[in-house]
Amino acid sequence: QKEVEQDPGPLSVPEGAIVSLNCTYSNSAFQYFMWYRQYSRKGPELLMYTYSSGNKEDGRFTAQVDKSSKYISLFIRDSQPSDSATYLCAMRGGSYIPTFGRGTSLIVHP
Amino acid sequence: DTAVSQTPKYLVTQMGNDKSIKCEQNLGHDTMYWYKQDSKKFLKIMFSYNNKELIINETVPNRFSPKSPDKAHLNLHINSLELGDSAVYFCASSPPGQGNTGELFFGEGSRLTVL
């Protein structure tokens, strides 16, 4: 079992839909949870960052962490074609080196 | 003004050749990394340098040799290229200090194809 599991998709949704992206993990030492967005032929960029359990909202994006279930989610409201990208979850403990999920490919069609 | 820049963006070469990828960051970060992203988008750490010193060396064949001439540069040299080395190689950097998010700033990647 990999330390971080993420369904690669692709996930195809119509414009305006609510998108839910998820990761599970096995390492209980993870405390910092991140979502990176990677457009085609580009490097990943940090989208959301959360410490420990709870929710964090930024515009149309909400990151949710449930440490008891070892489960994290990213919700995108009112999805737009410009949200089409690969979303990688990442997490770390005390080390500054994050462990990445393999990414979920999201396609938002007009 | 690109924060983390890598050259070249594309490399196509024959098996057995040697190639280098260069990386420079102008963010003033102390720590730099090389990541490999395979065809299934899995992003895996290869090396990490802090202030020119190697701090992480994952299980990578010794055909891969990183070199950091100063804290703004981290280059990757690959000897005797193999088909399985085909991937996108990302350079990244992160700021120093406790309490920061540890956010990684990635370059645009160098796409290596070994024929």
Side-chain angles (χ1 to χ4, degrees):
Chain A
Q1 183 196 9
K2 283 192 163 57
E3 267 194 307
V4 179
E5 299 275 4
Q6 185 177 9
D7 187 331
L11 178 62
S12 182
V13 301
E15 184 175 354
I18 296 174
V19 174
S20 171
L21 304 165
N22 311 294
C23 288
T24 59
Y25 63 95
S26 56
N27 189 341
S28 55
F30 289 146
Q31 300 176 64
Y32 302 87
F33 303 91
M34 291 147 279
W35 286 94
Y36 281 80
R37 179 174 59 195
Q38 184 178 17
Y39 290 114
S40 181
R41 306 267 168 171
K42 297 289 186 184
E45 294 176 301
L46 183 68
L47 186 62
M48 297 284 285
Y49 166 85
T50 312
Y51 171 69
S52 195
S53 282
N55 292 359
K56 186 173 184 179
E57 192 173 316
D58 184 2
R60 295 184 296 111
F61 299 88
T62 300
Q64 206 168 70
V65 174
D66 182 350
K67 287 187 72 179
S68 62
S69 303
K70 295 191 178 70
Y71 187 88
I72 72 169
S73 301
L74 177 71
F75 299 95
I76 308 175
R77 289 184 300 282
D78 187 25
S79 55
Q80 303 294 310
S82 58
D83 295 328
S84 298
T86 297
Y87 290 80
L88 301 108
C89 63
M91 45 199 81
R92 64 180 181 89
S95 157
Y96 278 98
I97 307 297
T99 299
F100 283 86
R102 61 178 294 180
T104 300
S105 175
L106 172 66
I107 302 164
V108 182
H109 50 88
Chain B
D1 191 18
T2 308
V4 181
S5 58
Q6 300 177 226
T7 54
K9 285 192 174 178
Y10 299 95
L11 276 140
V12 180
T13 189
Q14 300 286 333
M15 257 193 331
N17 283 351
D18 303 339
K19 288 292 177 188
S20 291
I21 308 170
K22 294 186 176 183
C23 178
E24 176 182 4
Q25 55 96 2
N26 63 7
L27 297 166
H29 291 167
D30 286 351
T31 309
M32 295 185 72
Y33 312 80
W34 279 110
Y35 278 84
K36 178 180 179 180
Q37 188 172 47
D38 62 25
S39 58
K40 295 181 179 178
K41 294 285 193 179
F42 194 59
L43 200 60
K44 190 171 181 184
I45 182 78
M46 299 174 71
F47 302 103
S48 175
Y49 271 73
N50 185 265
N51 263 323
K52 304 192 298 175
E53 285 191 27
L54 180 66
I55 56 171
I56 287 179
N57 181 353
E58 291 294 307
T59 358
V60 175
N62 57 15
R63 297 182 295 104
F64 291 79
S65 50
K67 189 169 182 181
S68 182
D70 56 63
K71 75 174 195 175
H73 295 84
L74 180 61
N75 304 324
L76 183 65
H77 187 76
I78 317 170
N79 289 327
S80 305
L81 278 156
E82 300 177 357
L83 293 176
D85 297 332
S86 295
V88 183
Y89 292 85
F90 285 100
C91 177
S93 69
S94 65
Q98 296 293 326
N100 70 66
T101 65
E103 176 182 357
L104 297 176
F105 293 77
F106 286 88
E108 294 206 336
S110 297
R111 186 174 295 270
L112 171 65
T113 303
V114 182
L115 303 174

